[in-house]
Amino acid sequence: MESGTLLSGGQRALIRESWQRLSGSPVQHGLVLFTRLFDLDPELLPLFQYNCKQFASPQECLSAPEFLDHIRKVMLVIDAAVSHLENLSCLEEYLCNLGKKHQAVGVKVESFSTVGESLLYMLEKCLGAAFSPDVREAWSKLYGAVVKAMRRGWDTLPEGD
């Protein structure tokens, strides 16, 4: 995870500035992200169950305390990536393990592109005019690096698992 070559100094500044605008309300912004995710791919809803309880609707899921905890965790991972823009490689092992956990609960690698679309949607909706093409490109690069590290979690599982 070569963050030095991945993102320019200007891109890192754009990411930090835009994230700072959102970091005060992580759950609120996370709800925008996950609402969009379920709109784009309702098939992901069954992956989210707590105490063997299936949610009947995205709205039920989005209001469950356990899911709100999941949103907080997702936003913390984004925050960690933003906080370590100069040295994303220090998150490599954590993200790889996070990938393994997502695979274990049935997440498909292909779903990460939908999550990426949802992240960009959330940034656009919550930043408004401050969401420029340059901001989009910077976040896309950062998200791509995070997903690449998480995908290593799939790649490192032994055959048959």
Side-chain angles (χ1 to χ4, degrees):
M1 215 184 213
E2 293 296 316
S3 50
T5 57
L6 172 72
L7 295 163
S8 70
Q11 288 174 320
R12 290 192 298 268
L14 287 172
I15 290 169
R16 278 195 190 92
E17 180 183 312
S18 57
W19 186 245
Q20 187 175 11
R21 291 175 185 228
L22 303 181
S23 60
S25 307
V27 173
Q28 176 187 340
H29 299 303
L31 282 168
V32 173
L33 189 158
F34 278 96
T35 299
R36 180 65 172 170
L37 181 68
F38 293 141
D39 286 349
L40 292 174
D41 192 351
E43 301 287 314
L44 294 175
L45 184 63
L47 294 176
F48 297 97
Q49 48 180 299
Y50 304 95
N51 303 320
C52 299
K53 180 187 185 308
Q54 287 285 141
F55 293 109
S57 68
Q59 294 73 25
E60 183 185 358
C61 180
L62 291 164
S63 62
E66 301 91 345
F67 189 75
L68 295 175
D69 284 341
H70 180 77
I71 288 175
R72 283 183 195 90
K73 291 175 187 172
V74 169
M75 300 306 272
L76 282 171
V77 172
I78 297 169
D79 192 65
V82 172
S83 297
H84 294 87
L85 287 173
E86 267 79 27
N87 185 17
L88 287 172
S89 60
C90 72
L91 298 175
E92 184 86 27
E93 184 178 344
Y94 172 78
L95 292 172
C96 180
N97 288 330
L98 195 57
K100 287 178 191 175
K101 287 179 185 178
H102 279 77
Q103 184 186 37
V105 297
V107 175
K108 303 285 183 232
V109 169
E110 301 79 48
S111 296
F112 284 112
S113 65
T114 310
V115 173
E117 286 178 53
S118 301
L119 172 66
L120 293 173
Y121 174 87
M122 179 272 290
L123 290 164
E124 181 178 7
K125 291 297 169 206
C126 297
L127 292 170
F131 189 71
S132 67
D134 289 342
V135 171
R136 173 185 283 278
E137 182 183 348
W139 274 99
S140 295
K141 280 186 170 183
L142 175 59
Y143 182 73
V146 168
V147 169
K148 187 175 178 183
M150 288 180 71
R151 284 185 66 152
R152 287 194 185 96
W154 271 257
D155 299 340
T156 58
L157 284 175
E159 290 297 316
D161 271 6

